[in-house]
Structures are given as structure tokens and as C-alpha cells.
Amino acid sequence: PWLCTMRLAKHLWPGAPAYGNQVLRYWRRMRIEAGPPHRALADAVVTAHLVLALAALKALPESVPFTLLVTPDEEVGSEASRAVIEDWARRSPLVLVLESGMPGGAIKVGRSGVGDFTGSITGIESHAGLEPEKGASAIQELAHQVLWLGGLENKVLGTTVSVGVVRGGTRSNVVAGHAEAQIDVRVTTRSEMDRILNTLGAPPRFDARCQVEYRGGFNRPPMEPGGPSQAWINKASQVWQAITGE
């Protein structure tokens, strides 16, 4: 089997400026952690996963129906393939993901929900030297918001909040009229997901003259261990024990 990345890209993004790997990487703002550009490590990783999938399918009895779904955009949120994934998931009694296990052979029995939010602060611009009292700094409000966001974490329950990007203002001598932050949120339970959504829906204002708004949401809900998946987890443990004796 082989994959043509150019043909896939033309199908997924007909409006792309070009279809070379590096053009697509920067156009789609892809995060690459497989070494320097123009090297084969990332391609080799994908190929290894596909070979693993084909080996597993070859071991299946012919009477077992299956569908192998391969998507190219999981690392950037599955924007193009999400509808296809959800459609096949609804039709399938069991879904397995070709993601490596933990050290020692442990399998992953759940996954965190992922939230992507943007905090937008609108202040009042004024000249920082002549009339600073007439301004309301959006950057100063954002600084308070960042500390408040840190207080939303609950590491005991697996909830993390990370402000990864901040920007704001126009010039150093102007009280900033706008600032924003990009925020990554991870949760392990639906109750924590609801808490974060409700809290960001009604944020505090540390300067009443500023307007504060959080936009975004969870593009993937948490998958909590247990429930119907527990029977399959037990089955996997039995298979592992039969193979290894552990």
C-alpha cells in the first residue's frame, strides 16, 4: 500500500496555495516534532503505524468485518476529517486507535478532553504620558486574567490550564486598548469540562472599565475509563497475559 500526500492534500484543501509538504506545513500551521524539515522521520512514523495496522488486520479471521480509517490531520484538530470519523464511530460497535501504549506494555484506557479558547480583552486607549488616567489597560487586565486562569486548574482531577500565547497593545506610549490570549485546557471528566465552560462563560473583571470575553470550546470531550469499554480492556489484558505470561 502507498499514500500520495499531494493527492490527499488536493482532495482535503483544494484552495491551498501549493501542495508541497513544507507549504502545507506553514499554511496549516502544523506543529512538527519529528526533526528538521525535509527529513523522513515523520513519514517513517506514519508508515510504521500503517504497517502495524495491516499486520493486525491480517491476523483477523475473514469472518470479522472491519474498516481501516486513516486520516491526515489529527495533530491539528481533525478539521477536515472530523465528520467522517464521527460517522464511522457511530456505526461501529468497537473502535481501536493505533496509538502506542505506555512503557511496559500498559494500554491507555481513557484520554483527556481538549479545549481551545481565546481570551479577548477590550480596554480604553489613551496617551500613556499625557492622560494615562483616561485609559484602561487591556494588557493589565489580561495579566490579572492569566493569574485567574491558573487558579482554575485542578491537578488532582487532571485539569490543566495553559496560556500559551499573549499579544496586545500598539505602542509603548499608548495605554493598550486590546489584548488577547490563547489558552489550552485539558480535562479528564465531563464534570470538569462543564465547570470550565460555565466559569469561562462568566469571567470576572478586575478593571470594570474593561470588557472580557472568552471564545472557543472543547473540540474533543474527555473519554473516561469504565463503562462499556471496560469489557474490551479486560479482554485486551487477557490477550496480553496469554502472549507474555505476565
Side-chain angles (χ1 to χ4, degrees):
W2 58 277
L3 292 173
C4 176
T5 57
M6 181 170 289
R7 291 180 65 183
L8 282 172
K10 286 183 176 180
H11 178 72
L12 291 171
W13 304 302
Y19 296 96
N21 284 345
Q22 289 306 306
V23 174
L24 292 172
R25 171 189 179 183
Y26 293 111
W27 181 63
R28 298 297 300 171
R29 294 181 296 176
M30 297 181 182
R31 177 170 53 86
I32 305 296
E33 298 178 354
H38 308 296
R39 300 295 176 89
L41 179 56
D43 290 341
V45 171
V46 173
T47 303
H49 280 282
L50 290 172
V51 171
L52 177 63
L54 294 173
L57 294 176
K58 187 176 181 180
L60 284 176
E62 293 185 2
S63 59
V64 177
F66 66 87
T67 297
L68 175 61
L69 179 62
V70 181
T71 61
D73 57 344
E74 187 271 338
E75 285 295 335
V76 292
S78 302
E79 178 182 336
S81 61
R82 186 184 187 102
V84 177
I85 295 171
E86 292 178 345
D87 178 54
W88 278 106
R90 281 190 290 265
R91 290 194 269 164
S92 304
L94 173 65
V95 178
L96 300 176
V97 179
L98 291 174
E99 185 171 348
S100 59
M102 305 299 289
I107 60 175
K108 297 179 180 180
V109 298
R111 66 159 293 159
S112 297
V114 182
D116 185 21
F117 296 87
T118 298
S120 180
I121 316 296
T122 302
I124 302 173
E125 287 190 347
S126 69
H127 195 285
L130 297 178
E131 298 177 316
E133 72 282 354
K134 292 186 177 181
S137 174
I139 290 179
Q140 182 170 310
E141 176 67 23
L142 179 58
H144 287 293
Q145 292 290 324
V146 169
L147 296 176
W148 173 73
L149 288 165
L152 298 183
E153 287 193 333
N154 189 330
K155 292 185 177 178
V156 174
L157 296 178
T159 302
T160 61
V161 180
S162 173
V163 180
V165 178
V166 295
R167 60 174 66 90
T170 55
R171 295 183 57 86
S172 61
N173 65 343
V174 177
V175 176
H178 181 76
E180 68 177 30
Q182 294 178 8
I183 307 137
D184 177 276
V185 181
R186 307 293 170 109
V187 297
T188 58
T189 66
R190 286 187 174 271
S191 60
E192 279 294 279
M193 182 177 73
D194 292 339
R195 178 180 72 88
I196 293 295
L197 288 172
N198 292 335
T199 303
L200 293 183
R205 288 188 295 167
F206 297 90
D207 185 335
R209 298 172 297 169
C210 291
Q211 301 299 315
V212 180
E213 180 185 17
Y214 287 94
R215 302 185 303 273
F218 285 85
N219 56 49
R220 292 185 177 91
M223 297 182 182
E224 302 181 45
S229 65
Q230 188 62 49
W232 293 104
I233 294 169
N234 294 340
K235 181 66 175 177
S237 298
Q238 294 168 8
V239 172
W240 176 259
Q241 186 175 20
I243 294 173
T244 65
E246 297 177 1

